Amino acid sequence: GAGVSQSPSNKVTEKGKDVELRCDPISGHTALYWYRQSLGQGLEFLIYFQGNSAPDKSGLPSDRFSAERTGGSVSTLTIQRTQQEDSAVYLCASSTNMGDTEAFFGQGTRLTVV
Amino acid sequence: QQQVKQSPQSLIVQKGGISIINCAYENTAFDYFPWYQQFPGKGPALLIAIRPDVSEKKEGRFTISFNKSAKQFSLHIMDSQPGDSATYFCASRGSNYKLTFGKGTLLTVNP
């Protein structure tokens, strides 16, 4: 597809379980972001990948959160031992590293921890 | 910490009125300032953007005003319509092409 694809679109999980959220960025985009958006709130930066550089993990809220990007393309955000406060929409975005950098967002994954 | 501070957090405007959202940044190395619009259930999408070499950019009813000396920029929505009701995010681009977003402004335009 032409846009950023995220899966699943919705995820309900039990407290304490691990979850994996997937992001397929636009082909050729070297930059990839993960954000968290709680209900009615703004964008909370989680992690930023840029090419082969070390990722900027400064936004990850705890060591239960991790992300990887394989082959410079697909990214997976993993949340271990989920807590109710992890419930939010997780947004992925990708962009190029040249020109006027427009970030294209996916539709997000709505995570509900029960 | 490179931050972008956005205000107000929420805004209610009557149809036909002017909506104004403000952002302030800290890093003078930022060189690109976009605004994103988000409708419920959707991801944010680019609305309009400006570079620091101009003080204003207008696209239809949407205008960005940029004050480099004050390190501030704002979005003005003229003749606001109910269809403009959305969440708006400002952003700034850093030297590593990383976009830093403001917390967002929920705009409600009443008919």
Side-chain angles (χ1 to χ4, degrees), chain A residues 32-34 45-49 55-60 67 77:
Chain A
L32 187 147
Y33 307 76
W34 282 99
F45 167 74
L46 296 177
I47 189 168
Y48 169 64
F49 296 91
D56 177 351
K57 303 180 181 180
S58 60
L60 294 178
L77 176 68

Side-chain angles (χ1 to χ4, degrees), chain A residues 51-67:
Chain A
N52 294 322
S53 302
D56 177 351
K57 303 180 181 180
S58 60
L60 294 178
S62 76
D63 59 7
R64 297 187 295 105
F65 288 72
S66 63

Side-chain angles (χ1 to χ4, degrees), chain B residues 3 10 16 18 47 50 57 61 86 88 90 97 104 108-109 111:
Chain B
Q3 292 186 1
S10 62
I18 301 174
L47 179 64
I50 196 169
K57 182 174 181 180
R61 296 184 294 107
Y88 292 82
C90 63
Y97 282 86
T108 302
V109 181

Side-chain angles (χ1 to χ4, degrees), chain A residues 33 35 37 41-45 48 50 56 58 91 95-107, chain B residues 1 9 32 34 36 38 41-46 51 87 89 93 96-104 106:
Chain A
Y33 307 76
Y35 289 89
Q37 187 171 33
Q41 301 301 307
L43 294 175
E44 177 187 6
F45 167 74
Y48 169 64
Q50 174 58 279
D56 177 351
S58 60
L91 289 163
S95 68
T96 65
N97 65 345
M98 59 186 70
D100 290 343
T101 310
E102 177 177 356
F104 293 84
F105 283 81
Q107 297 275 57
Chain B
Q1 180 81 18
Q9 188 173 2
Y32 174 67
Y36 283 74
Q38 183 184 30
K42 304 291 186 181
L46 181 66
R51 287 183 172 270
T87 301
F89 298 94
R93 182 179 70 184
N96 62 349
Y97 282 86
K98 175 185 173 184
L99 285 168
T100 300
F101 285 85
K103 293 292 186 183
L106 177 61

Side-chain angles (χ1 to χ4, degrees), chain B residues 17-29:
Chain B
I18 301 174
S19 304
I20 301 175
I21 305 170
N22 301 297
C23 280
Y25 62 97
E26 298 178 350
N27 191 336
T28 56

